[in-house]
Amino acid sequence: MSAVLDDMDSRPGSTTSLLRTVIGLYLREAGGWMSAKDIVVLMEALGTSGTVTRTALGRLRKKDVVLQETRDGLPGFTLTEGAATMLARGDRRIYNPISMSPSDPWCLVSFSIPETEREKRHQLRRRLHWIGCGTVAAGLWICPDTLRGEVEEILNDLELRGMATLFVSQTPLVGGTLRDAASVWWDLDSVAELHKDFIRQHGAAVLGEDSAGVEPTAQAFATFVQCIDRWRIIPYLDPGLPATFLPKNWPGAEGTALFKRIMDAYAQPSSEFVRRTLGSDVAVAAP
């Protein structure tokens, strides 16, 4: 099974998480390879020393996110095949968060896994949680039907597809209210706190700023990378439920709108800073 399919272990703001975010944003646009020296330079703009960065690179190698590769005598890094797939899927989720309408279909995931496969059962539950599935019962999970492909990938990767059945359904019929049911199936309080924390941490970044007003400085680069680093797990854990499933004053719309404003203001200046710093043709990070 591939550990990079759900690379959510690193705490946002940690060196390993920030490095993974820098690699996700810019290594592909730099031609799929970046020298170790250039990676260190970019991480120094985030306040991280070369020694700490090299240690974090070692962690990402062990996670099968990057491979060491020397080009023209320079040591550097390229993405593994699994990491490239993970990042492409992450781009879709991060830049286009799920937002269900009341009429959209759902996917129910029913599975029965024997005790002899309990480690795989644990991994399945963990990974279903990390893509935004809710728990109806121990062996019955629910998610927007748009996530069915990711569910299939997880089941196949864990070699559990023969032990699971997927059902596509309309809005579930519950005994109480949909809001009450959703509050049991998902930990919406924790997801709400992620949105609120993002708003608190990054709301000031767009006060009076626009795409023409942000200069391509190290500070703009740091602001953008830190924003992406904190945001990137939210669209995975937030299933994008319809309003009828959500508590009142749900902060998701505000968090998503703030993220898009930061993208508009900082993606181009950050990319320009990388181009100037590394002297390479790095494309804009936005999709």
Side-chain angles (χ1 to χ4, degrees):
M1 70 190 69
S2 176
V4 301
L5 287 175
D6 59 351
D7 180 30
M8 299 291 179
D9 292 334
S10 301
R11 175 178 52 82
S14 68
T15 300
T16 301
S17 183
L18 288 168
L19 176 58
R20 180 244 183 256
T21 299
V22 168
I23 286 171
L25 285 169
Y26 300 112
L27 191 145
R28 288 171 293 174
E29 287 76 15
W33 177 89
M34 192 177 288
S35 73
K37 179 182 177 181
D38 285 346
I39 293 173
V40 167
V41 168
L42 291 180
M43 290 298 291
E44 285 176 342
L46 294 168
T48 301
S49 70
T51 300
V52 175
T53 294
R54 291 184 179 91
T55 299
L57 280 167
R59 293 194 188 103
L60 292 185
R61 284 180 63 194
K62 290 179 180 178
K63 284 186 168 186
D64 293 327
V65 174
V66 294
L67 291 171
Q68 196 161 17
E69 182 177 309
T70 299
R71 295 187 182 182
D72 298 325
L74 289 175
F77 293 87
T78 187
L79 289 170
T80 64
E81 183 178 348
T85 300
M86 174 194 70
L87 291 171
R89 180 168 51 248
D91 287 346
R92 295 191 294 271
R93 184 73 75 94
I94 291 168
Y95 301 121
N96 298 284
I98 296 171
S99 180
M100 292 185 72
S101 71
S103 61
D104 286 344
W106 297 84
C107 176
L108 297 174
V109 187
S110 174
F111 56 85
S112 179
I113 301 170
E115 186 63 18
T116 54
E117 299 281 10
R118 59 183 177 275
E119 177 56 29
K120 287 188 177 182
R121 184 173 59 206
H122 168 74
Q123 289 295 323
L124 175 60
R125 289 171 175 166
R126 175 180 175 275
R127 290 170 64 171
L128 290 177
H129 166 74
W130 272 115
I131 68 167
C133 296
T135 311
V136 180
L140 182 64
W141 290 57
I142 185 171
C143 64
D145 190 51
T146 52
L147 295 180
R148 193 184 346 148
E150 291 188 37
V151 172
E152 292 270 18
E153 287 182 20
I154 291 170
L155 290 169
N156 288 329
D157 187 57
L158 293 171
E159 299 179 342
L160 295 175
R161 187 61 188 88
M163 300 180 187
T165 302
L166 307 185
F167 301 89
V168 177
S169 75
Q170 297 304 310
T171 303
L173 302 178
V174 298
T177 68
L178 291 171
R179 282 192 175 95
D180 288 343
S183 70
V184 174
W185 299 343
W186 286 273
D187 186 357
L188 294 179
D189 288 342
S190 293
V191 177
E193 281 304 311
L194 288 173
H195 279 291
K196 292 175 183 178
D197 185 56
F198 178 78
I199 293 165
R200 284 192 298 266
Q201 292 288 330
H202 298 284
V206 292
L207 292 178
E209 299 282 14
D210 56 41
S211 58
V214 178
E215 296 297 323
T217 62
Q219 182 57 53
F221 168 78
T223 296
F224 184 62
V225 170
Q226 289 162 358
C227 162
I228 297 292
D229 186 62
R230 187 167 295 275
W231 172 260
R232 70 180 178 88
I233 68 168
I234 297 177
Y236 280 93
L237 294 174
D238 184 347
L241 302 178
T244 50
F245 283 72
L246 295 171
K248 294 180 180 179
N249 302 317
W250 180 252
E254 182 182 356
T256 300
L258 172 61
F259 171 74
K260 291 180 178 178
R261 289 173 62 197
I262 292 173
M263 283 290 302
D264 290 342
Y266 284 89
Q268 180 64 45
S270 179
S271 185
E272 179 61 25
F273 169 79
V274 173
R275 279 195 293 266
R276 293 182 183 182
T277 301
L278 305 186
S280 58
D281 185 18
V282 180
V284 177

